[in-house]
Amino acid sequence: MKHLLCLSQWSSQEILETIKMSEKLKFENKNGIRHNHLLKGKTLGLIFAKSSTRTRVSFEVAMYQLGGYSLFLSSSDIQLGRGETLSDTARTLSRYIDGIMIRTYKHSDVIDLANCSTIPVINGLTDSQHPCQVLADLMTIKEYKGKLRGVKVAYVGDGNNVANSLLIGCAKTGVDISVATPEGYQCEDATVEHAREAAKESGSKIVLTEDPYEAVKDADVVYTDTWISMGQENEKEIRKKIFISYQVNDKLMGIAKKDAIFMHCLPAYRGLEVDEKVIDGPQSVVFDQAENRLHAQKAVLVKLLG
Ligand code: CP
Ligand code: NVA
């Protein structure tokens, strides 16, 4: 059985096929072709231990458009929040529904849940990875740049869940990626290793640096995310000081290619990781990115639950 826990477990071909399927579903959706036969009668449980706007709404709408049904399961409302084990939760839910999406803290919890489930599990974000986001991001990059191979992405800021998944996603699909993070806030070692392995096959160039200007020089895509991820709220003041020189503003965008696009997974904090002139300016594609979550996740759902 297939899960989506981390992009490192999907082959390049699977990732590229999923992006193609996302493009087809988006085109059809825009042209009035309905998809409500694809997952007719299927049900997806959505377990959330952290907040969400995009992930929750796009998964719920995706299941509706595919002819299925979704159940929002806040982890504080189900017995998981009172101490029922992940394994008992997984085995119980497997008797009722056809798939589980989970957003939580520890990545190992998602792996444990998947190991005890007899239905596909989709990672809707952990402290370590955000694979659904990056499938939509790769789709968006392809939409704007017409290709993936050879495109240069610069990620600037915290080496967090989004950065980890972006690094793997780019390395698997031949996208060149430069990541600029302050010392002590780099991407996870295991992720970097996976990405370097994948890059050997795909030909993608990986650069890890502390210098945002080095990363962004001649980039086709400039990407950032919040400096304070969910669960890090008590580090807010110190992080704001450490990351100050990593803000994406006009000056930094100025050294990317002229036609570079600006990306952010959202939610964004204007005046911190990104200046409002950039995120609300003509190079920003953040709402196309957000929309593509819907199309990319429909492709994932059809692949795993169909
Ligand atoms: N980008 C993203 O996952 O957004 P939400 O936290 O709103 O789901
Ligand atoms: N890195 C952010 C992403 C939110 C979608 C977080 O984990 O809060």
Side-chain angles (χ1 to χ4, degrees):
M1 192 196 8
K2 193 87 191 149
H3 304 291
L4 175 55
L5 309 184
C6 176
L7 289 177
S8 63
Q9 292 153 351
W10 278 30
S11 69
S12 302
Q13 197 192 338
E14 280 176 311
I15 295 172
L16 293 170
E17 278 169 10
T18 304
I19 295 168
K20 272 214 180 103
M21 179 67 170
S22 316
E23 291 163 346
K24 179 174 181 276
L25 291 171
K26 180 173 184 174
F27 175 83
E28 290 178 351
N29 198 49
K30 302 268 179 208
N31 286 283
I33 299 168
R34 293 170 63 108
H35 298 132
N36 53 358
H37 56 289
L38 292 176
L39 290 184
K40 204 173 171 58
K42 300 272 180 167
T43 47
L44 178 74
L46 305 170
I47 303 177
F48 280 95
K50 290 176 173 170
S51 307
S52 170
T53 298
R54 282 144 288 269
T55 305
R56 176 177 175 182
V57 177
S58 57
F59 266 108
E60 290 198 19
V61 172
M63 281 307 284
Y64 174 76
Q65 290 187 0
L66 293 167
Y69 185 76
S70 60
L71 298 97
F72 174 69
L73 307 169
S74 162
S75 69
S76 57
D77 293 336
I78 58 174
Q79 299 287 11
L80 191 60
R82 290 182 62 247
E84 185 168 18
T85 64
L86 273 166
S87 125
D88 287 355
T89 305
R91 289 184 289 181
T92 303
L93 292 179
S94 295
R95 300 292 179 106
Y96 299 130
I97 59 184
D98 301 294
I100 301 172
M101 189 242 67
I102 177 166
R103 166 171 287 196
T104 192
Y105 294 85
K106 280 162 59 189
H107 191 74
S108 58
D109 281 353
V110 175
I111 296 172
D112 292 345
L113 185 83
N115 286 340
C116 299
S117 295
T118 56
I119 54 177
V121 172
I122 299 170
N123 175 1
L125 179 148
T126 61
D127 290 344
S128 159
Q129 300 290 334
H130 198 358
C132 295
Q133 177 66 51
V134 169
L135 289 174
D137 295 342
L138 291 170
M139 177 189 178
T140 310
I141 293 169
K142 198 172 160 209
E143 222 166 54
Y144 274 90
K145 297 293 159 191
K147 60 178 185 178
L148 287 173
R149 191 166 291 278
V151 169
K152 178 180 172 181
V153 171
Y155 177 93
V156 178
D158 188 15
N160 61 15
N161 41 15
V162 170
N164 287 327
S165 290
L166 188 67
L167 186 57
I168 297 180
C170 288
K172 288 242 171 189
T173 55
V175 175
D176 297 335
I177 176 160
S178 297
V179 179
T181 52
E183 199 196 335
Y185 295 87
Q186 292 99 335
C187 289
E188 283 175 1
D189 290 345
T191 293
V192 173
E193 240 173 77
H194 274 303
R196 289 208 192 280
E197 269 313 300
K200 279 187 202 156
E201 261 184 50
S202 73
S204 132
K205 281 190 227 105
I206 297 177
V207 174
L208 305 178
T209 173
E210 284 173 28
D211 180 0
Y213 287 86
E214 182 193 343
V216 170
K217 187 151 175 30
D218 296 326
D220 299 291
V221 177
V222 181
Y223 197 129
T224 191
D225 182 20
T226 182
W227 298 335
I228 302 121
S229 285
M230 289 179 276
Q232 298 172 338
E233 289 76 8
N234 57 1
E235 297 171 38
K236 188 170 176 180
E237 291 315 313
I238 172 124
R239 283 176 165 268
K240 273 163 63 176
K241 286 196 193 108
I242 288 169
F243 286 99
I244 189 75
S245 57
Y246 290 79
Q247 185 188 70
V248 178
N249 48 32
D250 275 348
K251 190 173 163 218
L252 190 60
M253 283 304 287
I255 66 161
K257 285 197 185 134
K258 283 240 157 355
D259 63 350
I261 54 172
F262 170 75
M263 297 180 74
H264 191 307
C265 61
L266 304 178
Y269 300 92
R270 287 166 176 77
L272 293 179
E273 75 272 11
V274 61
D275 187 77
E276 66 178 344
K277 275 209 273 181
V278 173
I279 190 166
D280 298 320
Q283 288 168 288
S284 175
V285 302
V286 298
F287 298 108
D288 292 318
Q289 234 182 308
E291 178 188 332
N292 285 341
R293 294 290 304 277
L294 170 67
H295 309 297
Q297 282 155 204
K298 280 170 76 177
V300 169
L301 289 165
V302 171
K303 178 179 170 66
L304 301 186
L305 271 61

